[in-house]
Amino acid sequence: MPQVQGDLISDACSKALYKDLCEKTLRADPSSSGATVDGLAKIALKAASSSAKTIQGQITTLLRTAKDKAVIAALNDCTENYDGANEQLGDSLKAMVAKHYSDVNTWVTAAMTDGDSCEDGFKSGTSPLTQANTNFGHLCSNVLAITNQLR
């Protein structure tokens, strides 16, 4: 039986741009065992949401020690970006429960844009959040890849 579930995870992630991350994310969640594609999409969405919350914590920590005005300004913008992303991912979860998949796509895409906007705020130098922002974008992309199979 677990083999079938493994196949469902592989199938669900087959259209993702970040297949390895997709499979790793889904397999790491115990509730993926026996989940439907809809359930896997929810797990992927929760992983993206968890990532956004983690990044908010990193931003708060970085703001405590930042001295450079441009970095502080960029981090403050990131705080707003990730506040928006978290709200959009919360709305996405409600939409997913209601099976309004086009709304999920709209809000997850908006959340991805917020992550990109955070990264773009560090034009003057190196972003301390590049890896986290990139990972967040990949997690959101995986949500879209799975959700698109539910339409």
Side-chain angles (χ1 to χ4, degrees):
M1 195 68 171
Q3 185 57 41
V4 173
Q5 183 56 33
D7 291 343
L8 185 59
I9 289 174
S10 297
D11 289 349
C13 292
S14 67
K15 293 182 176 57
L17 292 174
Y18 309 100
K19 289 177 184 56
D20 291 346
L21 177 64
C22 181
E23 290 198 28
K24 191 176 123 197
T25 302
L26 296 179
R27 292 187 199 289
D29 190 307
S31 63
S32 68
S33 179
T36 60
V37 175
D38 184 69
L40 295 176
K42 285 185 188 103
I43 292 166
L45 182 56
K46 285 178 183 163
S49 188
S50 174
S51 172
K53 287 179 177 72
T54 299
I55 294 168
Q56 279 187 307
Q58 289 175 295
I59 294 165
T60 302
T61 302
L62 289 165
L63 275 168
R64 286 191 197 119
T65 56
K67 305 271 186 278
D68 183 290
K69 282 186 171 54
V71 170
I72 292 167
L75 288 169
N76 282 326
D77 286 345
C78 285
T79 298
E80 287 181 34
N81 292 136
Y82 277 100
D83 282 347
N86 274 310
E87 192 174 317
Q88 288 147 348
L89 292 173
D91 289 342
S92 296
L93 189 57
K94 289 180 200 139
M96 193 170 291
V97 169
K99 302 194 182 318
H100 296 161
Y101 301 119
S102 63
D103 291 344
V104 173
N105 283 359
T106 300
W107 283 317
V108 171
T109 302
M112 275 175 88
T113 303
D114 285 329
D116 291 341
S117 296
C118 169
E119 189 63 29
D120 292 345
F122 291 94
K123 282 190 176 79
S124 59
T126 310
S127 163
L129 296 166
T130 300
Q131 192 175 356
N133 284 331
T134 300
N135 187 58
F136 174 70
H138 292 181
L139 288 167
C140 287
S141 173
N142 288 342
V143 173
L144 296 173
I146 298 170
T147 304
N148 282 335
Q149 298 170 50
L150 296 167
R151 294 174 150 211

